[in-house]
Amino acid sequence: MLVLLPPSEGKAPSGRGAPLKPESLSLPGLTEARQAVLDELVELCVGDEEKAREVLGLSEGLRGEIAKNTELRTAGARPAGEIYTGVLYDALGLASLDTAAKRRASRSLLVFSGLWGAVRVTDRIPSYRCSMGVKLPGLGALGAHWRAPMATVLPEAAGSGLVLDLRSSGYVAAWRPKGEVAGRTASVRVLHAPTRKVVSHFNKATKGRIVRSLMESGSVPSGPAELVEALRDLGHVVEAAPPGGTGKAWMLDVLVDEIH
């Protein structure tokens, strides 16, 4: 099972250990594309700070994030599971998982990133600021930049198993499962049960809890239909119907009574 996660906008500080080693990151087929983004992002942020703030879409109060990007090659690196913070990652609680669940998380979880493309939670990276919605002056829109390398690398990473897609819309632009892979992909919406409206902020917390429950249970659904049953067994209220054709992803609605 491969679980696709969005990154968090806010991130923990970089570590004090060894700096980034790009060649050590998982999914080596993304190395060249990663280096291109890294080079331009550092050059942008070392140069014109005002231009960097505009390109990265940062408010005046977040101007300090630019300095973080200037040190990407020298700052200490930490496991990505420690760098990403926020609602989803708080609910997931990687640090508090038992040993077996952490092992499953290291194999299954893949975090999408405007800078790195995608990394596993054990990959050591520095803290950074660069969303998938950024359009760099040289490379252009990052969603488009990642499509070609992702088209080869992600199907290989998915193997023959289930793909659980929990990404936000901006990160879907980098890779959309196609063909046979799409047929075993399940995307999740979180709905407020009484109103059937999509929840926003609390969507992240629910998705974090879903991933945690799957990692703790050791459940390895073979496809979307089996995932629906596994989630129901774990106490989640799920509505789903097979897609209307081959090569299309399933859409699962997870219903929550309380928005928390």
Short mmCIF file of all heavy atoms in Angstrom, two decimals, residues 137-192:
data_model
loop_
_atom_site.label_atom_id
_atom_site.label_comp_id
_atom_site.label_asym_id
_atom_site.label_seq_id
_atom_site.Cartn_x
_atom_site.Cartn_y
_atom_site.Cartn_z
N PRO A 137 10.96 31.44 -11.90
CA PRO A 137 11.21 32.19 -13.14
C PRO A 137 11.80 31.33 -14.25
O PRO A 137 11.45 31.50 -15.43
CB PRO A 137 12.20 33.28 -12.69
CG PRO A 137 11.90 33.48 -11.24
CD PRO A 137 11.54 32.12 -10.71
N GLY A 138 12.69 30.41 -13.91
CA GLY A 138 13.34 29.59 -14.92
C GLY A 138 12.60 28.31 -15.25
O GLY A 138 12.39 27.98 -16.42
N LEU A 139 12.19 27.58 -14.24
CA LEU A 139 11.55 26.28 -14.44
C LEU A 139 10.06 26.37 -14.73
O LEU A 139 9.48 25.44 -15.28
CB LEU A 139 11.77 25.39 -13.20
CG LEU A 139 13.19 24.93 -12.93
CD1 LEU A 139 13.23 24.13 -11.64
CD2 LEU A 139 13.71 24.09 -14.09
N GLY A 140 9.43 27.45 -14.31
CA GLY A 140 8.00 27.58 -14.50
C GLY A 140 7.22 26.93 -13.37
O GLY A 140 7.74 26.73 -12.26
N ALA A 141 5.98 26.57 -13.62
CA ALA A 141 5.11 26.01 -12.60
C ALA A 141 5.65 24.66 -12.13
O ALA A 141 5.93 23.77 -12.95
CB ALA A 141 3.69 25.85 -13.15
N LEU A 142 5.76 24.50 -10.83
CA LEU A 142 6.36 23.28 -10.31
C LEU A 142 5.49 22.05 -10.54
O LEU A 142 6.00 20.95 -10.73
CB LEU A 142 6.68 23.44 -8.82
CG LEU A 142 7.81 24.42 -8.52
CD1 LEU A 142 8.04 24.52 -7.01
CD2 LEU A 142 9.09 24.00 -9.23
N GLY A 143 4.16 22.22 -10.52
CA GLY A 143 3.30 21.09 -10.81
C GLY A 143 3.62 20.50 -12.17
O GLY A 143 3.70 19.27 -12.33
N ALA A 144 3.83 21.34 -13.15
CA ALA A 144 4.18 20.88 -14.50
C ALA A 144 5.60 20.32 -14.55
O ALA A 144 5.87 19.34 -15.24
CB ALA A 144 4.03 22.03 -15.50
N HIS A 145 6.51 20.94 -13.80
CA HIS A 145 7.91 20.48 -13.77
C HIS A 145 8.01 19.03 -13.31
O HIS A 145 8.83 18.26 -13.84
CB HIS A 145 8.70 21.38 -12.82
CG HIS A 145 10.09 20.87 -12.52
ND1 HIS A 145 11.12 20.95 -13.44
CD2 HIS A 145 10.62 20.26 -11.41
CE1 HIS A 145 12.22 20.43 -12.90
NE2 HIS A 145 11.93 20.01 -11.68
N TRP A 146 7.16 18.64 -12.36
CA TRP A 146 7.27 17.30 -11.79
C TRP A 146 6.54 16.23 -12.59
O TRP A 146 6.76 15.04 -12.36
CB TRP A 146 6.74 17.33 -10.35
CG TRP A 146 7.67 18.00 -9.40
CD1 TRP A 146 7.47 19.19 -8.74
CD2 TRP A 146 8.96 17.54 -9.00
NE1 TRP A 146 8.56 19.49 -7.96
CE2 TRP A 146 9.49 18.50 -8.11
CE3 TRP A 146 9.73 16.43 -9.33
CZ2 TRP A 146 10.75 18.37 -7.54
CZ3 TRP A 146 10.98 16.28 -8.76
CH2 TRP A 146 11.48 17.25 -7.88
N ARG A 147 5.70 16.59 -13.52
CA ARG A 147 4.85 15.60 -14.17
C ARG A 147 5.63 14.51 -14.91
O ARG A 147 5.33 13.33 -14.78
CB ARG A 147 3.87 16.28 -15.13
CG ARG A 147 2.64 16.79 -14.43
CD ARG A 147 1.64 17.42 -15.39
NE ARG A 147 0.92 18.47 -14.69
CZ ARG A 147 0.66 19.66 -15.19
NH1 ARG A 147 1.06 19.98 -16.40
NH2 ARG A 147 0.01 20.56 -14.48
N ALA A 148 6.61 14.91 -15.69
CA ALA A 148 7.34 13.92 -16.49
C ALA A 148 8.10 12.92 -15.62
O ALA A 148 7.94 11.71 -15.79
CB ALA A 148 8.27 14.61 -17.48
N PRO A 149 8.94 13.36 -14.68
CA PRO A 149 9.63 12.37 -13.85
C PRO A 149 8.69 11.55 -12.98
O PRO A 149 8.89 10.35 -12.78
CB PRO A 149 10.59 13.21 -13.00
CG PRO A 149 10.08 14.61 -13.06
CD PRO A 149 9.41 14.74 -14.38
N MET A 150 7.63 12.16 -12.49
CA MET A 150 6.67 11.44 -11.65
C MET A 150 5.96 10.34 -12.45
O MET A 150 5.62 9.29 -11.91
CB MET A 150 5.62 12.40 -11.09
CG MET A 150 6.13 13.33 -10.03
SD MET A 150 6.27 12.52 -8.44
CE MET A 150 6.54 13.97 -7.40
N ALA A 151 5.72 10.59 -13.73
CA ALA A 151 4.99 9.64 -14.56
C ALA A 151 5.71 8.30 -14.64
O ALA A 151 5.09 7.26 -14.83
CB ALA A 151 4.78 10.20 -15.96
N THR A 152 7.04 8.32 -14.48
CA THR A 152 7.82 7.09 -14.48
C THR A 152 8.02 6.55 -13.07
O THR A 152 7.86 5.36 -12.82
CB THR A 152 9.19 7.34 -15.12
OG1 THR A 152 9.01 7.75 -16.47
CG2 THR A 152 10.05 6.08 -15.09
N VAL A 153 8.37 7.44 -12.15
CA VAL A 153 8.78 7.02 -10.81
C VAL A 153 7.61 6.55 -9.94
O VAL A 153 7.73 5.55 -9.22
CB VAL A 153 9.53 8.18 -10.12
CG1 VAL A 153 9.81 7.87 -8.65
CG2 VAL A 153 10.83 8.47 -10.85
N LEU A 154 6.49 7.24 -9.98
CA LEU A 154 5.39 6.92 -9.07
C LEU A 154 4.73 5.57 -9.36
O LEU A 154 4.44 4.81 -8.43
CB LEU A 154 4.37 8.04 -9.04
CG LEU A 154 4.54 9.05 -7.90
CD1 LEU A 154 4.27 8.38 -6.55
CD2 LEU A 154 5.94 9.66 -7.90
N PRO A 155 4.46 5.21 -10.63
CA PRO A 155 3.93 3.86 -10.86
C PRO A 155 4.86 2.77 -10.34
O PRO A 155 4.40 1.74 -9.84
CB PRO A 155 3.77 3.81 -12.38
CG PRO A 155 3.55 5.23 -12.79
CD PRO A 155 4.46 6.01 -11.87
N GLU A 156 6.17 2.97 -10.47
CA GLU A 156 7.13 2.01 -9.93
C GLU A 156 7.02 1.93 -8.42
O GLU A 156 7.05 0.85 -7.83
CB GLU A 156 8.55 2.40 -10.34
CG GLU A 156 8.82 2.28 -11.83
CD GLU A 156 10.21 2.76 -12.21
OE1 GLU A 156 10.93 3.26 -11.31
OE2 GLU A 156 10.58 2.65 -13.39
N ALA A 157 6.89 3.08 -7.76
CA ALA A 157 6.77 3.11 -6.29
C ALA A 157 5.47 2.46 -5.84
O ALA A 157 5.42 1.81 -4.79
CB ALA A 157 6.83 4.55 -5.79
N ALA A 158 4.42 2.60 -6.63
CA ALA A 158 3.12 2.03 -6.26
C ALA A 158 3.12 0.52 -6.38
O ALA A 158 2.35 -0.17 -5.70
CB ALA A 158 2.02 2.63 -7.15
N GLY A 159 3.98 -0.03 -7.26
CA GLY A 159 4.02 -1.47 -7.44
C GLY A 159 2.67 -1.99 -7.91
O GLY A 159 2.01 -1.40 -8.77
N SER A 160 2.22 -3.09 -7.30
CA SER A 160 0.95 -3.69 -7.69
C SER A 160 -0.13 -3.51 -6.62
O SER A 160 -1.18 -4.13 -6.69
CB SER A 160 1.14 -5.19 -7.95
OG SER A 160 1.64 -5.84 -6.79
N GLY A 161 0.16 -2.65 -5.64
CA GLY A 161 -0.76 -2.52 -4.51
C GLY A 161 -1.69 -1.32 -4.59
O GLY A 161 -1.71 -0.56 -5.56
N LEU A 162 -2.45 -1.17 -3.52
CA LEU A 162 -3.38 -0.05 -3.36
C LEU A 162 -2.64 1.27 -3.27
O LEU A 162 -1.57 1.36 -2.65
CB LEU A 162 -4.19 -0.26 -2.08
CG LEU A 162 -5.02 0.91 -1.56
CD1 LEU A 162 -6.23 1.16 -2.46
CD2 LEU A 162 -5.46 0.66 -0.12
N VAL A 163 -3.22 2.31 -3.87
CA VAL A 163 -2.73 3.69 -3.69
C VAL A 163 -3.82 4.47 -2.99
O VAL A 163 -4.94 4.62 -3.51
CB VAL A 163 -2.38 4.35 -5.04
CG1 VAL A 163 -1.92 5.80 -4.81
CG2 VAL A 163 -1.31 3.56 -5.78
N LEU A 164 -3.52 4.96 -1.79
CA LEU A 164 -4.46 5.78 -1.03
C LEU A 164 -4.02 7.23 -1.16
O LEU A 164 -2.97 7.63 -0.65
CB LEU A 164 -4.47 5.35 0.44
CG LEU A 164 -5.30 6.21 1.41
CD1 LEU A 164 -6.73 6.35 0.94
CD2 LEU A 164 -5.23 5.62 2.82
N ASP A 165 -4.81 8.02 -1.87
CA ASP A 165 -4.43 9.39 -2.21
C ASP A 165 -5.12 10.38 -1.27
O ASP A 165 -6.33 10.61 -1.36
CB ASP A 165 -4.81 9.68 -3.66
CG ASP A 165 -4.22 10.98 -4.18
OD1 ASP A 165 -3.65 11.74 -3.37
OD2 ASP A 165 -4.33 11.23 -5.39
N LEU A 166 -4.33 10.98 -0.37
CA LEU A 166 -4.86 11.94 0.60
C LEU A 166 -4.33 13.35 0.33
O LEU A 166 -4.40 14.22 1.19
CB LEU A 166 -4.49 11.50 2.02
CG LEU A 166 -5.00 10.11 2.44
CD1 LEU A 166 -4.49 9.76 3.83
CD2 LEU A 166 -6.51 10.05 2.39
N ARG A 167 -3.80 13.57 -0.86
CA ARG A 167 -3.20 14.87 -1.18
C ARG A 167 -4.25 15.96 -1.36
O ARG A 167 -5.39 15.69 -1.74
CB ARG A 167 -2.39 14.77 -2.47
CG ARG A 167 -1.19 13.85 -2.39
CD ARG A 167 -0.55 13.68 -3.76
NE ARG A 167 -1.46 13.04 -4.71
CZ ARG A 167 -1.27 13.01 -6.03
NH1 ARG A 167 -0.21 13.61 -6.55
NH2 ARG A 167 -2.14 12.39 -6.82
N SER A 168 -3.84 17.19 -1.10
CA SER A 168 -4.68 18.35 -1.42
C SER A 168 -4.56 18.61 -2.92
O SER A 168 -3.64 18.14 -3.60
CB SER A 168 -4.23 19.56 -0.61
OG SER A 168 -2.83 19.73 -0.68
N SER A 169 -5.49 19.38 -3.47
CA SER A 169 -5.61 19.54 -4.92
C SER A 169 -4.35 20.08 -5.58
O SER A 169 -3.99 19.67 -6.69
CB SER A 169 -6.80 20.44 -5.25
OG SER A 169 -6.65 21.72 -4.64
N GLY A 170 -3.64 20.98 -4.92
CA GLY A 170 -2.45 21.57 -5.51
C GLY A 170 -1.37 20.54 -5.81
O GLY A 170 -0.58 20.71 -6.76
N TYR A 171 -1.33 19.48 -5.04
CA TYR A 171 -0.28 18.47 -5.21
C TYR A 171 -0.69 17.37 -6.16
O TYR A 171 0.18 16.63 -6.66
CB TYR A 171 0.13 17.92 -3.84
CG TYR A 171 0.88 18.99 -3.07
CD1 TYR A 171 0.20 19.94 -2.32
CD2 TYR A 171 2.26 19.11 -3.17
CE1 TYR A 171 0.87 20.97 -1.67
CE2 TYR A 171 2.94 20.13 -2.54
CZ TYR A 171 2.24 21.05 -1.79
OH TYR A 171 2.92 22.07 -1.19
N VAL A 172 -1.97 17.27 -6.44
CA VAL A 172 -2.44 16.31 -7.45
C VAL A 172 -1.90 16.69 -8.82
O VAL A 172 -1.71 15.82 -9.69
CB VAL A 172 -3.98 16.25 -7.44
CG1 VAL A 172 -4.49 15.37 -8.58
CG2 VAL A 172 -4.48 15.71 -6.10
N ALA A 173 -1.62 17.97 -9.03
CA ALA A 173 -1.13 18.44 -10.33
C ALA A 173 0.17 17.77 -10.73
O ALA A 173 0.46 17.63 -11.93
CB ALA A 173 -0.95 19.96 -10.30
N ALA A 174 0.96 17.33 -9.76
CA ALA A 174 2.26 16.73 -10.07
C ALA A 174 2.16 15.31 -10.57
O ALA A 174 3.04 14.84 -11.30
CB ALA A 174 3.16 16.78 -8.83
N TRP A 175 1.12 14.59 -10.16
CA TRP A 175 0.94 13.21 -10.63
C TRP A 175 -0.50 12.78 -10.46
O TRP A 175 -1.03 12.81 -9.34
CB TRP A 175 1.85 12.24 -9.86
CG TRP A 175 1.72 10.82 -10.38
CD1 TRP A 175 2.01 10.39 -11.64
CD2 TRP A 175 1.24 9.68 -9.66
NE1 TRP A 175 1.76 9.04 -11.75
CE2 TRP A 175 1.29 8.57 -10.55
CE3 TRP A 175 0.78 9.48 -8.35
CZ2 TRP A 175 0.89 7.29 -10.16
CZ3 TRP A 175 0.39 8.20 -7.97
CH2 TRP A 175 0.45 7.13 -8.87
N ARG A 176 -1.11 12.37 -11.55
CA ARG A 176 -2.45 11.80 -11.53
C ARG A 176 -2.34 10.34 -11.97
O ARG A 176 -1.89 10.07 -13.08
CB ARG A 176 -3.40 12.55 -12.47
CG ARG A 176 -3.65 13.99 -12.06
CD ARG A 176 -4.57 14.68 -13.07
NE ARG A 176 -4.70 16.10 -12.79
CZ ARG A 176 -5.61 16.61 -11.95
NH1 ARG A 176 -6.46 15.80 -11.35
NH2 ARG A 176 -5.67 17.92 -11.74
N PRO A 177 -2.71 9.41 -11.11
CA PRO A 177 -2.64 7.99 -11.51
C PRO A 177 -3.46 7.75 -12.77
O PRO A 177 -4.55 8.30 -12.93
CB PRO A 177 -3.24 7.26 -10.31
CG PRO A 177 -3.07 8.21 -9.16
CD PRO A 177 -3.21 9.57 -9.75
N LYS A 178 -2.92 6.94 -13.65
CA LYS A 178 -3.60 6.64 -14.91
C LYS A 178 -3.71 5.14 -15.11
O LYS A 178 -2.97 4.35 -14.52
CB LYS A 178 -2.85 7.27 -16.09
CG LYS A 178 -2.82 8.79 -16.06
CD LYS A 178 -2.08 9.35 -17.27
CE LYS A 178 -2.06 10.87 -17.26
NZ LYS A 178 -1.33 11.43 -18.43
N GLY A 179 -4.63 4.76 -15.97
CA GLY A 179 -4.75 3.38 -16.39
C GLY A 179 -4.96 2.42 -15.24
O GLY A 179 -5.78 2.64 -14.35
N GLU A 180 -4.19 1.35 -15.25
CA GLU A 180 -4.35 0.28 -14.27
C GLU A 180 -4.08 0.78 -12.85
O GLU A 180 -4.73 0.36 -11.90
CB GLU A 180 -3.40 -0.87 -14.64
CG GLU A 180 -3.53 -2.10 -13.78
CD GLU A 180 -2.61 -2.07 -12.59
OE1 GLU A 180 -1.58 -1.37 -12.66
OE2 GLU A 180 -2.92 -2.75 -11.58
N VAL A 181 -3.12 1.71 -12.70
CA VAL A 181 -2.81 2.25 -11.36
C VAL A 181 -4.01 3.04 -10.83
O VAL A 181 -4.37 2.94 -9.66
CB VAL A 181 -1.55 3.13 -11.40
CG1 VAL A 181 -1.26 3.69 -10.00
CG2 VAL A 181 -0.35 2.34 -11.90
N ALA A 182 -4.66 3.80 -11.69
CA ALA A 182 -5.84 4.58 -11.27
C ALA A 182 -6.94 3.66 -10.77
O ALA A 182 -7.65 3.99 -9.82
CB ALA A 182 -6.35 5.43 -12.43
N GLY A 183 -7.07 2.49 -11.38
CA GLY A 183 -8.11 1.56 -10.98
C GLY A 183 -7.95 1.02 -9.57
O GLY A 183 -8.92 0.55 -8.97
N ARG A 184 -6.74 1.09 -9.04
CA ARG A 184 -6.51 0.65 -7.65
C ARG A 184 -6.12 1.82 -6.75
O ARG A 184 -5.44 1.66 -5.74
CB ARG A 184 -5.49 -0.47 -7.58
CG ARG A 184 -4.20 -0.24 -8.35
CD ARG A 184 -3.34 -1.51 -8.32
NE ARG A 184 -2.28 -1.49 -9.31
CZ ARG A 184 -1.09 -0.94 -9.12
NH1 ARG A 184 -0.81 -0.38 -7.97
NH2 ARG A 184 -0.18 -0.96 -10.08
N THR A 185 -6.55 3.02 -7.16
CA THR A 185 -6.33 4.22 -6.37
C THR A 185 -7.64 4.67 -5.73
O THR A 185 -8.69 4.64 -6.36
CB THR A 185 -5.78 5.36 -7.25
OG1 THR A 185 -4.50 4.98 -7.76
CG2 THR A 185 -5.63 6.66 -6.46
N ALA A 186 -7.57 5.08 -4.47
CA ALA A 186 -8.74 5.61 -3.76
C ALA A 186 -8.40 6.98 -3.22
O ALA A 186 -7.42 7.15 -2.49
CB ALA A 186 -9.14 4.67 -2.62
N SER A 187 -9.20 7.99 -3.59
CA SER A 187 -9.07 9.33 -3.04
C SER A 187 -10.14 9.50 -1.96
O SER A 187 -11.22 8.92 -2.04
CB SER A 187 -9.26 10.38 -4.13
OG SER A 187 -8.23 10.29 -5.09
N VAL A 188 -9.83 10.33 -0.97
CA VAL A 188 -10.73 10.47 0.19
C VAL A 188 -11.20 11.90 0.34
O VAL A 188 -10.40 12.84 0.27
CB VAL A 188 -10.01 10.01 1.47
CG1 VAL A 188 -10.83 10.37 2.71
CG2 VAL A 188 -9.76 8.51 1.43
N ARG A 189 -12.52 12.06 0.53
CA ARG A 189 -13.08 13.33 0.98
C ARG A 189 -13.59 13.14 2.40
O ARG A 189 -14.03 12.04 2.77
CB ARG A 189 -14.27 13.75 0.10
CG ARG A 189 -13.95 14.04 -1.33
CD ARG A 189 -15.14 14.66 -2.03
NE ARG A 189 -16.35 13.85 -1.93
CZ ARG A 189 -17.53 14.20 -2.44
NH1 ARG A 189 -17.66 15.35 -3.06
NH2 ARG A 189 -18.59 13.40 -2.32
N VAL A 190 -13.55 14.20 3.18
CA VAL A 190 -14.12 14.15 4.53
C VAL A 190 -15.34 15.05 4.55
O VAL A 190 -15.26 16.25 4.26
CB VAL A 190 -13.09 14.60 5.58
CG1 VAL A 190 -13.70 14.55 6.98
CG2 VAL A 190 -11.84 13.72 5.52
N LEU A 191 -16.50 14.48 4.87
CA LEU A 191 -17.76 15.21 4.87
C LEU A 191 -18.34 15.29 6.27
O LEU A 191 -18.24 14.34 7.06
CB LEU A 191 -18.77 14.53 3.95
CG LEU A 191 -18.39 14.31 2.49
CD1 LEU A 191 -19.55 13.65 1.75
CD2 LEU A 191 -17.99 15.61 1.82
N HIS A 192 -18.96 16.43 6.56
CA HIS A 192 -19.71 16.58 7.81
C HIS A 192 -21.02 15.83 7.62
O HIS A 192 -21.85 16.20 6.77
CB HIS A 192 -19.96 18.06 8.09
CG HIS A 192 -20.64 18.32 9.39
ND1 HIS A 192 -21.57 19.32 9.55
CD2 HIS A 192 -20.52 17.71 10.59
CE1 HIS A 192 -22.00 19.31 10.80
NE2 HIS A 192 -21.38 18.35 11.45
#
